[in-house]
């Protein structure tokens, strides 16, 4: 199989037929012989599934995956990817915000040896200012917190090679932030600038809670820094405790203080700092255990050489 197209769909009845038409025509025009289109129904409550079934009666290239309930975008996408058999995998949203017609130009880039050609939005049409600001804050926080560089203004719209998909399948983590995981994998990756259209129909399927959940998954998947925050507080706490202790002693000897205040202030300052240090240390171990439980590969080999030759 030359190409797999993977599309997660949640309540996308209004876009589905048009989506299918445009993806089909892009695949037919592209420089490939065989392809499959994998549509994942992520527990839709509208007629998305029955529309998919109708389409698949007429179209042999379609594979429909019907999930048991709504699992969320990233899990639905993972389900689709797990069935993909193509040499290249084209990932896009069901709402036609990512133009399927970019398949050929992205494929051209991929064939020059680029493993990941990811769509980068130069313009985002039809987005609310709230979403634009939220996205900006989110990406800034993420890039500050995480150790690897995760490109900004990039969604899951991309073309990836089979070897990247194979690596992705070896990352069994539960909370999945796929664009970050692909950035983590490495291999040659390149941005492809495009203008992001407004939704073809319907409204965003990312509710506010889903968006928060998604951001938490993204940050916690790539950083244990928040767990270290108590160590930073502990540092300030300790400095403050030393200062407070000093001033309490000074007051005891040189000023009038209520009896018992000095010892009480010192005990509180000392033990609060001690507690913060201990919480920070526990956080450090929890962070390490957390990273270990993700069972990601330690490294990924790009190629081996022997006698100066690739093997
Ligand atoms: N989606 C999904 N499950 C969900 C939410 C969204 O499969 O729980 C799909 C949705 O059908 C679309 C893609 O994920 O194909 C992106 O969602 P959406 O376009 O609503 O997000 P936005 O573009 O507003 O960020
Ligand atoms: Mg969208």
């Amino acid at each position: 199989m030359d190409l797999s197209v993977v599309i997660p769909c949640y309540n996308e009845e209004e876009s589905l037929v048009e989506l299918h038409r445009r993806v089909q025509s892009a695949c037919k025009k592209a420089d490939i012989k065989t392809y499959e289109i994998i549509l994942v129904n992520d527990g839709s409550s509208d007629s998305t599934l029955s529309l998919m079934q109708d389409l698949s009666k007429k179209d042999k290239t379609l594979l429909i995956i019907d999930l048991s309930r709504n699992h969320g975008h990233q899990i639905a996408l993972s389900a689709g990817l797990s069935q993909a058999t193509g040499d290249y995998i084209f990932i896009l949203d069901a709402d036609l915000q990512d133009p399927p017609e970019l398949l050929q130009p992205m494929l051209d880039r991929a064939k020059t040896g680029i493993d990941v050609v990811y769509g980068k939005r130069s313009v985002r049409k039809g987005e609310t200012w709230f979403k634009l600001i939220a996205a900006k804050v989110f990406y800034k926080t993420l890039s500050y917190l995480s150790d690897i560089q995760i490109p900004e203004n990039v969604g899951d719209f991309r073309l990836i090679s089979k070897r990247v998909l194979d690596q992705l399948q070896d990352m069994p983590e539960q909370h999945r932030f796929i664009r970050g995981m692909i950035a983590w994998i490495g291999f040659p990756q390149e941005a492809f600038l495009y203008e992001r259209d407004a939704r073809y129909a319907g409204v965003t399927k990312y509710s506010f809670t889903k968006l928060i959940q998604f951001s938490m998954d993204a940050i916690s998947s790539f950083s244990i820094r928040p767990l270290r925050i108590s160590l930073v507080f502990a540092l300030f706490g300790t400095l403050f405790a030393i200062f407070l202790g000093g001033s309490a002693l000074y007051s005891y000897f040189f000023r009038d203080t209520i009896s018992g205040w000095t010892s009480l202030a010192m005990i509180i300052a000392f033990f609060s700092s001690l507690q913060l240090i201990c919480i920070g240390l526990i956080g450090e171990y929890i962070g390490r255990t957390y990273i270990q439980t993700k069972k990601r590969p330690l490294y990924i080999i790009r190629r081996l050489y022997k006698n100066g030759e690739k093997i």
Side-chain angles (χ1 to χ4, degrees), residues 12 73 93-98 121 127 131 196-201 203-206:
E12 299 285 3
H73 177 207
D93 283 356
D95 56 4
L96 289 166
Q97 283 195 285
D98 314 318
R121 302 144 186 180
E127 307 262 33
K131 180 119 191 223
R196 189 161 214 237
D197 292 332
R199 242 180 182 279
Y200 174 74
V203 291
T204 176
K205 301 302 175 311
Y206 263 95

Side-chain angles (χ1 to χ4, degrees), residues 100-117:
E101 295 72 27
L102 295 181
L103 171 62
Q104 184 59 51
M106 287 170 95
L107 206 54
D108 290 342
R109 291 305 305 148
K111 284 187 175 161
T112 64
I114 312 284
D115 284 85
V116 178
V117 182

Side-chain angles (χ1 to χ4, degrees), residues 198-216:
R199 242 180 182 279
Y200 174 74
V203 291
T204 176
K205 301 302 175 311
Y206 263 95
S207 59
F208 185 68
T209 24
K210 269 188 186 163
L211 218 53
I212 298 285
Q213 185 63 46
F214 176 75
S215 316
M216 289 302 289

Side-chain angles (χ1 to χ4, degrees), residues 164-184:
V164 168
L165 177 64
D166 289 344
Q167 295 300 338
L168 199 61
Q169 309 289 39
D170 274 348
M171 296 167 76
E173 55 208 71
Q174 292 272 318
H175 294 272
R176 302 175 78 78
F177 178 55
I178 292 175
R179 65 200 73 161
M181 290 161 74
I182 293 179
W184 183 90

